[in-house]
């Protein structure tokens, strides 16, 4: 049936006079390949998603631990509590970017939607770190001190 449909398409294609009776096989190798259906691979698909969920979550948790124990982060946290930190935003941005890049590299080969969701959750958890550390108050204080100096 499929070969018959392909032949009908070939027959309807305009050809030069010298190739009017040339069979399709002279120009193309036609192969019919069956793809597995979702139903047949549903269990495998579910398993891969579950693995992606678990591994991406593990990677994200490891990145949070790595961030909290990061030497630059610890120095920055201490420096903020002791006063004004030159280039605070730049330093913090660099530390966060390295953390997220590390996650992206390790989670690269897992399901895209799972990887993206877990990255968003990682970003949210990192934001919670700032909330818990009351950095907003410290940053505001630094800003006010900086403005008063000007």
């Amino acid at each position: 049936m499929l070969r018959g449909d392909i032949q009908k398409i070939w027959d309807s294609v305009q050809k030069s006079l010298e190739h009017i009776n040339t069979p399709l096989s002279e120009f193309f190798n036609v192969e019919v390949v069956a793809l597995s259906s979702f139903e047949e691979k549903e269990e495998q698909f579910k398993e891969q998603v579950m693995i992606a969920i678990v591994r991406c979550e593990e990677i994200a948790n490891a990145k949070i631990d790595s961030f909290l124990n990061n030497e630059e982060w610890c120095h920055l946290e201490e420096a903020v509590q002791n006063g004004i930190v030159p280039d605070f935003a730049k330093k913090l941005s660099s530390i966060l970017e390295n953390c997220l890049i590390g996650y992206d590299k390790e989670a690269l080969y897992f399901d895209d939607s799972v990887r993206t969701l877990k990255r968003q959750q990682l970003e949210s958890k990192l934001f919670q770190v700032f909330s818990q550390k009351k950095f907003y108050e410290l940053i505001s204080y630094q800003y006010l001190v900086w403005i008063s100096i000007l």
Side-chain angles (χ1 to χ4, degrees):
M1 184 165 135
L2 186 57
R3 290 199 183 271
D5 290 341
I6 293 171
Q7 188 60 48
K8 286 179 189 175
I9 293 169
W10 177 248
D11 292 341
S12 69
V13 171
Q14 283 190 336
K15 300 176 227 26
S16 63
L17 288 175
E18 63 212 40
H19 293 293
I20 200 130
N21 291 321
T22 305
L24 174 68
S25 60
E26 289 289 318
F27 292 100
F28 302 100
N29 288 327
V30 178
E31 290 184 34
V32 178
V33 178
L35 299 175
S36 59
S37 69
F38 174 76
E39 290 81 21
E40 293 174 12
K41 299 292 182 175
E42 183 177 7
E43 193 60 41
Q44 182 181 3
F45 173 77
K46 286 179 183 177
E47 184 178 312
Q48 288 175 345
V49 169
M50 286 304 297
I51 290 170
I53 289 170
V54 170
R55 276 300 295 136
C56 287
E57 199 164 296
E58 288 174 347
I59 293 166
N61 289 337
K63 292 303 165 190
I64 289 171
D65 290 341
S66 175
F67 174 80
L68 292 173
N69 295 312
N70 178 292
E71 191 174 326
E72 291 178 71
W73 165 250
C74 293
H75 289 302
L76 187 61
E77 184 178 17
E78 185 179 316
V80 166
Q81 293 174 4
N82 292 328
I84 296 175
V85 178
D87 296 325
F88 173 81
K90 185 177 178 180
K91 291 175 182 178
L92 179 59
S93 178
S94 174
I95 296 167
L96 288 171
E97 184 177 344
N98 287 336
C99 178
L100 294 172
I101 287 171
Y103 170 83
D104 292 339
K105 285 180 181 178
E106 288 186 48
L108 179 66
Y109 298 105
F110 294 105
D111 180 78
D112 186 48
S113 61
V114 172
R115 184 178 70 239
T116 301
L117 175 65
K118 293 300 177 182
R119 188 184 202 277
Q120 290 169 347
Q121 290 174 352
L122 171 60
E123 291 169 355
S124 178
K125 287 178 182 178
L126 290 170
F127 180 76
Q128 288 174 358
V129 168
F130 301 123
S131 299
Q132 291 170 353
K133 300 288 184 176
K134 299 186 179 183
F135 267 118
Y136 288 123
E137 294 170 18
L138 295 169
I139 293 169
S140 297
Y141 172 75
Q142 283 195 11
Y143 178 73
L144 292 173
V145 171
W146 183 71
I147 292 293
S148 68
I149 292 172
L150 294 177

